[in-house]
Amino acid sequence: ASQRTLSIVKPDAVAKNAIGEIISRFEKAGLKVVAAKMLHLSKEQAEGFYAEHKDRGFFGDLVGFMTSGPVLVQVLEGDDAIVKNRDLMGATNPQEAAPGTIRADFAQSIDANAVHGSDSPESAEREIAYFFGSDEICPR
Ligand code: CMP
C-alpha cells in the first residue's frame, strides 16, 4: 500500500554535495518526493525531533551533529515507502551497512551517517507532522 515516510539528508551528505545522488536512489526505487525543504536545525528543533533518544549517551553528539550544518528534509511517498527507504539507507552504523546502500556509499560514522528515515508508521506520522504542514505536502 502507498505510504509516506520522512527522510533527512544529514549535514555530512549535504556538505559532500550528495543531495542529488541520494534523491536519485529514492526516485529510481519508485519513491516520489512529495515535500522538501532545506533547514539549518536549531538545538531545540533537533532535540524535539530526536526526543525518544534523550536519555541515550549519544544524544548530545547527535544533536550537535544534526545542528552542524543544513539538512534537506523530505516526505517520500510510494508502495511500502517506510521499509523501502530503510532498505535503501542500510544499517544505522555504516560499518554494518550492506554494499550498495546509501550509508555504505556516503556515510563515515554512526553519527555522520548521511540519512535518517522513519522506522515505523507511527514515527513517520509524527516526524512528517514535525516538519511539514498539510499545505506543504503535494500528493502525486
Ligand atoms: P537516525 O536514524 O537519525 O536516528 C538516531 C541517530 O542517532 C542515528 O540515526 C545515528 O546517527 C545516531 N546514533 C549515534 N549513536 C547511536 C547508537 N549507538 N545507536 C543508534 N543510533 C545512534
Side-chain angles (χ1 to χ4, degrees):
S2 188
Q3 277 183 333
R4 289 177 181 171
T5 190
L6 186 88
S7 164
I8 304 179
V9 180
K10 294 190 179 186
D12 57 320
V14 172
K16 278 185 174 170
N17 230 10
I19 293 171
E21 287 189 61
I22 290 172
I23 291 181
S24 179
R25 291 183 183 213
F26 299 146
E27 292 189 331
K28 284 178 180 146
L31 295 173
K32 295 176 176 179
V33 177
V34 296
K37 59 181 147 189
M38 195 128 199
L39 295 171
H40 193 141
L41 298 180
S42 67
K43 186 166 178 277
E44 291 67 31
Q45 276 178 310
E47 286 174 347
F49 181 75
Y50 282 119
E52 67 183 293
H53 297 302
K54 68 177 177 342
D55 299 324
R56 306 286 296 272
F58 60 79
F59 187 65
D61 285 347
L62 172 61
V63 169
F65 174 67
M66 289 301 289
T67 57
S68 68
V71 297
L72 185 78
V73 293
Q74 312 135 83
V75 179
L76 305 177
E77 186 176 87
D79 281 345
D80 285 321
I82 295 168
V83 165
K84 200 177 266 185
N85 182 39
R86 292 183 70 82
D87 288 347
L88 292 168
M89 291 193 297
T92 304
N93 183 346
Q95 255 78 56
E96 294 163 11
T101 60
I102 293 169
R103 283 168 170 157
D105 291 344
F106 296 104
Q108 37 263 243
S109 72
I110 197 163
D111 283 306
N113 67 348
V115 280
H116 166 84
S118 308
D119 64 3
S120 68
E122 295 70 34
S123 46
E125 195 177 334
R126 182 188 82 82
E127 292 178 357
I128 291 168
Y130 192 82
F131 286 118
F132 295 98
S134 52
D135 61 334
E136 295 179 293
I137 302 175
C138 303
R140 34 184 291 225

